[in-house]
Amino acid sequence: MSDIEVAVGPLAELDDPGCREFAIGEGDWPFRGFVVRQGDAVYAYQNVCAHVGHPLNWSAHKFLTKDKSAIICASHGATYDIKKGNCIAGPARGRSLQAVAVAVRDGVVYVTGPEGGQ
Ligand code: FES
C-alpha cells in the first residue's frame, strides 16, 4: 500500500496550541490522525491511544489537556508529550503515539499516510 500526502489546512487556522483531525483514505476504515500546532511547529500522530487502542478524543479536534501543555486520551487519561508523543503519565507509560509525517509548505499543513486507510 502506498502513502499519499494530503492537506490538513492552513496553519493560520489552527489555534496555538491547538489540534485538527484528519482522515486519509476512503470507506469505513480511513487512516485517522491529528495534528498539533505549537507556535510555528506542527506535530502529527495517528489517533490511536497506546494504552488499549481507543481513539484519543471524544470531541472533534480536542486532544489537549486543559492547560494545553500535553496530549490527553479521553478514555483513561493517558497523557503524552506534544513534541515526542511518548506517554508521560497514566496507563500508557513506556509507550508512545505513532508519529505521522507532517510538513508545512506555503502556510499549509500536509500529512502523509496510507492511501487505502489503515
Ligand atoms: S485507551 Fe487511552 S488511556 Fe486507555
Side-chain angles (χ1 to χ4, degrees):
M1 184 186 316
S2 57
D3 284 355
I4 57 168
E5 184 180 71
V6 300
V8 178
L11 180 64
E13 289 184 5
L14 292 175
D15 289 340
D16 180 18
C19 302
R20 175 80 59 89
E21 290 179 74
F22 64 84
I24 300 173
E26 306 290 326
D28 292 340
W29 302 100
F31 179 89
R32 295 185 187 280
F34 62 101
V35 299
V36 188
R37 177 184 182 185
Q38 223 180 23
D40 288 334
V42 183
Y43 309 91
Y45 299 99
Q46 189 174 8
N47 189 4
V48 176
C49 182
H51 178 215
V52 290
H54 294 183
L56 291 146
N57 63 319
W58 287 348
S59 305
H61 314 300
K62 303 281 189 202
F63 292 87
L64 300 180
T65 54
K66 277 194 180 134
D67 67 1
K68 300 185 189 270
S69 66
I71 296 162
I72 186 164
C73 177
S75 287
H76 314 111
T79 57
Y80 298 89
D81 182 86
I82 289 174
K83 293 186 172 122
K84 296 179 184 159
N86 60 301
C87 181
I88 51 180
R93 265 192 182 278
R95 287 176 253 167
S96 296
L97 299 175
Q98 186 67 47
V100 173
V102 59
V104 180
R105 287 196 309 275
D106 299 327
V108 176
V109 179
Y110 295 89
V111 292
T112 301
E115 188 173 10
Q118 60 174 279

